[in-house]
Amino acid sequence: MSESTPYISHVPYIEAVAEALDAAGLTVADWNADDNDPRDAYIEFDRTITTPAYSDDTEVNLLWREDRGWMVGWGDADSVSQNGLDWVVDLFCGVLPTPEEMVTEARTVIAKIPSPQGGPYGRYRDTEDDDGFEAELAQYAKNTDNHS
């Protein structure tokens, strides 16, 4: 019997994005969603698709935070600092773009290393905001329940 896993509300959304990336041929090596405050997640690309732009020893990830939205992070896979990610660049595509919109964003960051940005990082919301975010996020859980 397997241990029960606690429900993490953003897992269905992150899973939907990872599945869309895989379906589009943007192979996902790994993904994870954590119930931190703010909630966060990552989707790591298989190096076979990122090597042409980055190199074969570079790990490339899409990173997500509920207040900041999506970012791309990359770095030497053997580096200790920042869990192997030397650069993190905001994508400025919102907090909950559709999985299809994330496929478009991913195609761009896989094809060419983004330029580092100056200035403050993006911030779309605070975790305490009453902005309909939880209801939007819950739609992904309902969508996965309908397909199970």
Side-chain angles (χ1 to χ4, degrees):
M1 182 154 60
S2 65
E3 250 180 72
S4 88
T5 305
Y7 175 72
I8 300 176
S9 58
H10 59 297
V11 165
Y13 173 63
I14 302 303
E15 184 175 30
V17 172
E19 288 175 355
L21 293 168
D22 262 338
L26 304 175
T27 311
V28 172
D30 191 19
W31 67 270
N32 189 42
D34 289 316
D35 200 17
N36 297 326
D37 186 13
R39 291 171 284 194
D40 62 3
Y42 72 87
I43 298 174
E44 179 184 345
F45 291 107
D46 187 282
R47 291 201 191 135
T48 58
I49 63 165
T50 59
T51 294
Y54 291 83
S55 81
D56 61 357
D57 62 348
T58 301
E59 181 179 313
V60 181
N61 291 269
L62 289 176
L63 310 169
W64 179 86
R65 269 186 31 181
E66 69 178 303
D67 61 336
R68 192 169 169 180
W70 287 95
M71 300 156 274
V72 61
W74 69 94
D76 181 342
D78 297 323
S79 173
V80 176
S81 69
Q82 298 179 38
N83 298 319
L85 302 178
D86 300 314
W87 295 94
V88 174
V89 173
D90 284 283
L91 296 178
F92 297 105
C93 58
V95 178
L96 288 177
T98 67
E100 295 75 22
E101 290 169 326
M102 285 311 301
V103 166
T104 301
E105 291 289 334
R107 286 189 196 287
T108 302
V109 299
I110 284 173
K112 182 178 180 221
I113 297 173
S115 299
Q117 302 160 336
Y121 65 83
R123 181 177 211 89
Y124 293 98
R125 60 182 307 277
D126 287 318
T127 55
E128 300 83 27
D129 287 351
D130 183 17
D131 57 2
F133 176 77
E134 296 303 325
E136 285 183 57
L137 198 57
Q139 292 302 311
Y140 287 92
K142 290 177 185 173
N143 290 340
T144 57
D145 289 344
N146 292 337
H147 293 100
S148 297

